[in-house]
Amino acid sequence: MQNKNLWFFNHYAQGSNLPGGTRHFDLGLELVEKGYNVTIFCSGYHHTLLKHVVEYNDKGFYEEINNGVKFIWVKTFPYKANNWKRMLNTVSYALKLNKIIPKLGLEKPDYIIGSTVHPFAPLIASKMARRFKAKYIMEIRDLWPQTFIDMNLWKESSITAKFFKYIEKISVIKSSKIIVLSPLTIGYLKDNYNYNKDNILLLPNGVNKNYINKDVLNNEVSRKINITYLGGIEKVHGLEFMVDLASKINDVNVTFNIYGDGKEKQYLRNKSIQSGNNNIVWHDPVSKSIVPNILAQATLLFVSTSNVLYGSENKLYDYMASGKPIVLAIRGSHNDPIKEIGCGVSLSRDNLAESATKLMTFIDEEFKNFNDLGLKGQSYVIKNRTIDLLSDKLIEFLK
């Protein structure tokens, strides 16, 4: 049987050699093993490093094969702040691909998946699906404008919100099927578009089985607690809560480590210095291939987001795969499996003092059980959230 050709449109997709999300690369690796030809169309301008990370040809793109997965990196408009230039960056992604793809001479795709966060990726994906007569599937990792409305950054009645709502509507209507990362998105699609839930696949983020820590060991002799966060440092991640929480912890044996970069980093560093915090250590971002080593050095792993309801916690299952207990500080209870699995502690973002007390009580009472708690989380991931299992669900859904 001839291999099926699958295209992913994801502005922010990465391989394992750079910091950032590797969802589609990880899925691509499994799909290649299972007989698919996979191409990922992404931007060569890195959204946290804020620089171009590839050398483009004179046509404005760079092509590479990474372990069988083809990447097409397109040159998009650069930016240094979250302003009109960043918006132009998102628009230029779609415009450049619209110009470049027809000239690439690629084999006709059977399936095209257009993935948010921004809606221009599904929009150009749907156009290419029509051009090549391929099946178009929309993937919703985040909802614009709804997420910004929930975060009180946009008013629902604003022209900006209405514009993005219109683009979202076009993408949803033109899709043959939709992939979502949060169960709440299924209800959103029903309420807003009366979308048939039989054509929706809940496919949350998963874990590359190669990243599962097979040598879980926490230090049970020295009570040195390293609480580690690793990821983006933007408003959406809500890390001001972590910084404020650290200021409430006066135990000299507890250290907070923050790995990553983003537009909130300098503000949060300044805030921690001004408040006299000396229990936070700031680190540069690291590539995905190094992440398991960083996680293995931690005692507890910190997950944080603000008012984001329609995505899947990117870091949660990578963290659980490391075999370390989780400290979860999020809004959406649908993204909180910690209590059910018994692999950590959940904190309230609405009561800082209570959360600080709860965290220290958890450390005092459960320290000797950290290995067992971490292994519960790891066992859950192995049974339910490895990329090979999720790729099988995706293949069945595409049929």
Side-chain angles (χ1 to χ4, degrees):
M1 185 181 72
Q2 185 178 5
N3 286 6
K4 295 289 187 180
N5 297 314
L6 171 61
W7 291 2
F8 285 109
F9 285 76
N10 175 2
H11 186 132
Y12 304 109
Q14 300 292 337
S16 60
N17 60 325
L18 288 168
T22 60
R23 171 181 173 86
H24 294 128
F25 175 61
D26 290 334
L27 281 170
L29 292 174
E30 291 292 337
L31 292 169
V32 167
E33 289 289 323
K34 294 167 182 176
Y36 281 73
N37 299 319
V38 177
T39 302
I40 299 175
F41 297 90
C42 54
S43 169
Y45 189 80
H46 199 282
H47 68 292
T48 56
L49 300 179
L50 299 180
K51 65 180 183 179
H52 294 285
V53 293
V54 295
E55 294 288 336
Y56 307 101
N57 61 23
D58 57 2
K59 296 179 181 178
F61 71 92
Y62 174 76
E63 182 176 335
E64 72 167 339
I65 305 293
N66 188 337
N67 291 294
V69 178
K70 179 181 287 186
F71 277 83
I72 305 292
W73 306 82
V74 63
K75 186 176 183 179
T76 55
F77 193 84
Y79 62 94
K80 296 294 183 182
N82 198 16
N83 54 22
W84 64 270
K85 290 185 177 181
R86 182 169 189 184
M87 187 60 66
L88 190 55
N89 172 269
T90 63
V91 174
S92 68
Y93 168 79
L95 293 177
K96 289 287 185 70
L97 286 175
N98 184 57
K99 180 180 179 181
I100 289 171
I101 289 176
K103 301 176 182 179
L104 291 177
L106 298 173
E107 191 173 344
K108 178 186 176 298
D110 297 287
Y111 310 103
I112 293 181
I113 296 177
S115 182
T116 63
V117 295
H118 71 68
F120 299 115
L123 194 64
I124 186 62
S126 66
K127 181 175 181 179
M128 289 299 136
R130 292 195 305 274
R131 181 185 183 96
F132 291 99
K133 295 181 173 55
K135 181 179 286 188
Y136 162 57
I137 299 99
M138 183 182 186
E139 180 178 70
I140 300 176
R141 293 183 293 130
D142 196 3
L143 284 170
W144 288 23
Q146 193 59 50
T147 292
F148 293 105
I149 294 170
D150 291 342
M151 294 175 67
N152 296 316
L153 297 175
W154 292 354
K155 290 185 177 180
E156 190 169 4
S157 60
S158 69
I159 293 175
T160 303
K162 289 181 178 179
F163 171 71
F164 282 106
K165 187 75 172 180
Y166 175 72
I167 295 178
E168 175 186 277
K169 181 178 180 180
I170 293 173
S171 297
V172 169
I173 290 174
K174 291 184 180 298
S175 64
S176 61
K177 294 183 176 182
I178 295 180
I179 299 167
V180 301
L181 279 72
S182 164
L184 292 188
T185 310
I186 299 174
Y188 175 91
L189 291 169
K190 172 66 175 176
D191 294 342
N192 287 268
Y193 302 108
N194 197 28
Y195 201 88
N196 186 350
K197 67 178 182 179
D198 293 336
N199 290 329
I200 300 175
L201 172 66
L202 176 61
L203 193 75
N205 286 308
V207 174
N208 186 322
K209 57 190 174 186
N210 296 323
Y211 290 167
I212 294 173
N213 182 13
K214 299 179 177 62
D215 188 24
V216 178
L217 182 64
N218 279 302
N219 190 346
E220 296 182 359
V221 179
S222 173
R223 193 180 172 280
K224 294 288 186 181
I225 307 297
N226 284 302
I227 302 175
T228 296
Y229 169 88
L230 194 153
I233 307 177
E234 310 285 351
K235 278 189 178 297
V236 69
H237 300 111
L239 286 177
E240 189 163 9
F241 176 83
M242 185 178 184
V243 170
D244 291 341
L245 182 70
S247 70
K248 299 290 185 183
I249 305 295
N250 297 315
D251 192 322
V252 295
N253 291 311
V254 177
T255 300
F256 292 80
N257 293 279
I258 299 179
Y259 289 82
D261 211 346
K263 289 175 284 297
E264 287 284 288
K265 185 172 184 177
Q266 194 56 53
Y267 162 73
L268 293 176
R269 290 187 72 162
N270 291 341
K271 180 175 183 176
S272 66
I273 291 170
Q274 291 167 7
S275 63
N277 276 19
N278 56 9
N279 59 351
I280 300 178
V281 181
W282 299 87
H283 305 265
D284 291 334
V286 298
S287 66
K288 187 66 177 282
S289 60
I290 299 174
V291 167
N293 294 333
I294 302 297
L295 300 184
Q297 297 168 17
T299 314
L300 300 171
L301 297 171
F302 198 95
V303 179
S304 173
T305 53
S306 54
N307 297 340
V308 179
L309 301 177
Y310 297 102
S312 170
E313 292 301 331
N314 295 348
K315 292 170 279 292
L316 179 57
Y317 299 102
D318 282 341
Y319 281 7
M320 289 166 65
S322 74
K324 300 303 176 83
I326 309 300
V327 180
L328 194 67
I330 64 173
R331 293 279 185 204
S333 60
H334 62 285
N335 272 333
D336 183 359
I338 299 302
K339 184 176 181 180
E340 179 182 349
I341 298 170
C343 62
V345 60
S346 299
L347 305 180
S348 168
R349 299 183 67 89
D350 297 319
N351 192 323
L352 193 63
E354 177 185 285
S355 291
T357 300
K358 187 175 183 179
L359 175 59
M360 291 309 300
T361 300
F362 172 74
I363 291 171
D364 291 338
E365 294 180 354
E366 299 292 345
F367 178 71
K368 292 183 179 180
N369 300 320
F370 277 1
N371 280 354
D372 291 337
L373 297 179
L375 287 171
K376 286 182 181 178
Q378 187 182 78
S379 176
Y380 174 85
V381 166
I382 291 172
K383 292 176 182 176
N384 299 281
R385 289 298 180 90
T386 57
I387 293 292
D388 58 330
L389 294 175
L390 298 180
S391 67
D392 287 338
K393 290 183 179 181
L394 177 58
I395 290 171
E396 187 62 31
F397 184 66
L398 292 175
K399 291 179 179 178

